[in-house]
Amino acid sequence: MHTHNHFPIDYYAYNSAIRNWNTGYKMIFSFTAIIAVISSDDFFIPVYTFLFMGFINTYLARLSIKEYLMAVRIPFIFIILGSIAIGGNIILILNVILKAISATSAMYLVTLSTPAGEIIATLKKLHIPGIFIELMYLTYRYIFILSDEVHKMRNAGISRLGYINYRTSCKSFSMMLGNLLIVSLKNSRNYYNAMEARCYNGSLGFYNEKKKICKLQVLLFLIYLIFLII
């Protein structure tokens, strides 16, 4: 069991039952589903994609329904707020929400079952400029570092009754933001020194394990496309 209360993407990726699936296959499947959802105005396609990807992410990847719904819930709030900005047309708002949630579930096919290093290694094969890939990876890693620091600071504040009322909560939150800036600068220096100690020369190397595409993976892709066309 993981010990973090926040959403542990890496934990699920490394323990996924479909981690051994070919990374390129998962990315192509995911992007195909996202394109299908975005380009269609049919309500059936987002619902179908969400259910199909939910089946893969839960039944095949061995992720519990509760954990999967928690993962979907994270962007759901931002999706709702963004959709409300459209205003007026309820049908349009519902369509946007369905598309966004469905596209997120398709994206989770990759992110919840593939370690970041394998995704980066696959992107390198597409000849994407290395500077963009490495910045993306370092930013991704540093988000979790800051997330851990925020989690620790909040627990420390709660144990000292720092969120007992609204006024105290505002004060504690502002102090946490100030401390987070100092800690982030300190950590960035420490982690860069750690990278240099491991012979970092301006280029990150990633181990890329060769994974074959099995018959089940091909069958799932064909089933998705056939029902999509029908």
Side-chain angles (χ1 to χ4, degrees), residues 106-203:
M107 181 187 66
Y108 278 159
L109 174 64
V110 178
T111 56
L112 294 182
S113 65
T114 313
E118 294 182 15
I119 297 176
I120 297 299
T122 303
L123 291 176
K124 280 191 172 184
K125 290 182 178 180
L126 300 177
H127 303 290
I128 297 175
I131 183 66
F132 294 113
I133 294 176
E134 292 182 9
L135 282 175
M136 181 176 69
Y137 181 77
L138 292 174
T139 301
Y140 170 81
R141 285 298 178 194
Y142 207 67
I143 287 173
F144 290 100
I145 294 171
L146 294 182
S147 178
D148 281 333
E149 293 296 337
V150 170
H151 186 66
K152 293 175 184 176
M153 290 180 186
R154 180 167 177 79
N155 283 343
I158 292 173
S159 66
R160 293 170 175 80
L161 303 180
Y163 296 90
I164 194 171
N165 54 48
Y166 179 75
R167 182 178 179 181
T168 307
S169 297
C170 291
K171 182 178 179 181
S172 298
F173 182 72
S174 61
M175 291 176 64
M176 184 179 71
L177 290 181
N179 290 334
L180 185 62
L181 175 61
I182 297 172
V183 170
S184 64
L185 292 174
K186 180 181 177 181
N187 282 346
S188 64
R189 185 165 54 249
N190 291 338
Y191 283 106
Y192 184 76
N193 290 337
M195 290 170 62
E196 284 194 321
R198 290 165 176 79
C199 303
Y200 175 69
N201 59 359
S203 177

Side-chain angles (χ1 to χ4, degrees), residues 26-119:
K26 286 187 285 188
M27 293 179 69
I28 292 173
F29 197 167
S30 176
F31 293 152
T32 300
I34 291 173
I35 292 172
V37 167
I38 294 175
S39 60
S40 174
D41 292 327
D42 192 339
F43 277 91
F44 169 77
I45 292 179
V47 174
Y48 165 64
T49 300
F50 178 79
L51 294 176
F52 197 94
M53 293 300 168
F55 168 76
I56 296 177
N57 285 320
T58 55
Y59 183 77
L60 296 181
R62 299 291 188 269
L63 186 67
S64 71
I65 295 177
K66 180 180 179 181
E67 291 172 325
Y68 180 64
L69 292 178
M70 185 180 296
V72 176
R73 185 189 66 183
I74 293 174
F76 184 73
I77 297 174
F78 297 98
I79 292 171
I80 291 294
L81 293 175
S83 300
I84 291 175
I86 298 173
N89 194 330
I90 298 298
I91 301 298
L92 179 60
I93 292 176
L94 181 60
N95 191 24
V96 170
I97 292 174
L98 284 175
K99 284 187 175 185
I101 292 296
S102 181
T104 301
S105 67
M107 181 187 66
Y108 278 159
L109 174 64
V110 178
T111 56
L112 294 182
S113 65
T114 313
E118 294 182 15
I119 297 176

Side-chain angles (χ1 to χ4, degrees), residues 29 33 36 48-49 52-53 220-228:
F29 197 167
Y48 165 64
T49 300
F52 197 94
M53 293 300 168
L220 284 171
F221 195 28
L222 289 176
I223 291 174
Y224 176 78
L225 289 179
I226 289 171
F227 277 91
L228 196 66

